[in-house]
Amino acid sequence: MIWCLIIKFIYKKNDSISFEEALGIYNSIFYVLECDDEYLHELWKEVIDSALIYVSMRVNWNYLSREEKSEKDQLRTSYHNTFMINLKVFHKLGEQLDLDTSWRNKLGSPEDRKRWRDFAGYLICIENIKAR
């Protein structure tokens, strides 16, 4: 129960994304994935793989010393950039296939890196639950 209050406090900021928003974006992407284009599905797997690597780094970040964070900061940024690039490529192919890519606008501008970061975490959470 207390973690729900913490999450609600954290996500009242304008530069974050709520679980409800992330779930809506995910559901829109899920409909895009009804397309049987093999390359689209390969790109989606790359999105998931890069999100998993990035989110793992973010979770471990909580337990790193200041020195370790300094050493790994560029790598963390690189993982985040890779996730963002993979998601943009997935979106672009969806556009080329004339699929509904309106989910991308809901995610926000790539300059809203915190929203994209949050989405990566939610994406892994949702995929984990989906795998049950």
Side-chain angles (χ1 to χ4, degrees):
M1 182 78 155
I2 190 76
W3 66 272
C4 291
L5 296 174
I6 292 169
I7 289 174
K8 285 183 181 184
F9 173 77
I10 291 170
Y11 290 104
K12 285 188 177 181
K13 297 178 181 181
N14 292 335
D15 61 353
S16 62
I17 187 170
S18 70
F19 178 76
E20 291 80 13
E21 286 178 281
L23 186 58
I25 293 167
Y26 179 86
N27 285 333
S28 296
I29 292 170
F30 187 78
Y31 288 118
V32 168
L33 291 169
E34 288 182 354
C35 174
D36 61 359
D37 185 88
E38 191 173 317
Y39 186 52
L40 183 73
H41 287 267
E42 287 176 25
L43 289 177
W44 181 245
K45 181 168 179 351
E46 289 183 24
V47 169
I48 297 300
D49 289 346
S50 60
L52 187 57
I53 291 167
Y54 173 63
V55 169
S56 177
M57 171 70 89
R58 291 295 308 175
V59 169
N60 288 322
W61 200 255
N62 295 322
Y63 306 102
L64 298 177
S65 69
R66 185 174 292 167
E67 294 79 23
E68 290 171 317
K69 286 179 180 178
S70 179
E71 290 172 12
K72 295 185 182 221
D73 191 49
Q74 286 184 346
L75 183 59
R76 179 187 52 82
T77 300
S78 172
Y79 289 162
H80 189 198
N81 290 343
T82 299
F83 166 71
M84 292 177 68
I85 289 166
N86 288 341
L87 195 54
K88 289 177 198 177
V89 170
F90 174 81
H91 170 259
K92 193 55 118 179
L93 181 58
E95 283 183 327
Q96 291 171 357
L97 294 171
D98 201 29
L99 302 172
D100 180 7
T101 57
S102 60
W103 59 268
R104 176 57 186 73
N105 290 334
K106 295 173 189 170
L107 184 55
S109 165
E111 286 77 35
D112 297 330
R113 291 180 65 87
K114 291 180 181 177
R115 286 182 59 87
W116 288 62
R117 175 198 67 199
D118 293 348
F119 184 67
Y122 288 132
L123 185 57
I124 295 306
C125 176
I126 294 166
E127 284 288 318
N128 182 52
I129 293 168
K130 183 179 147 193
R132 296 195 311 194

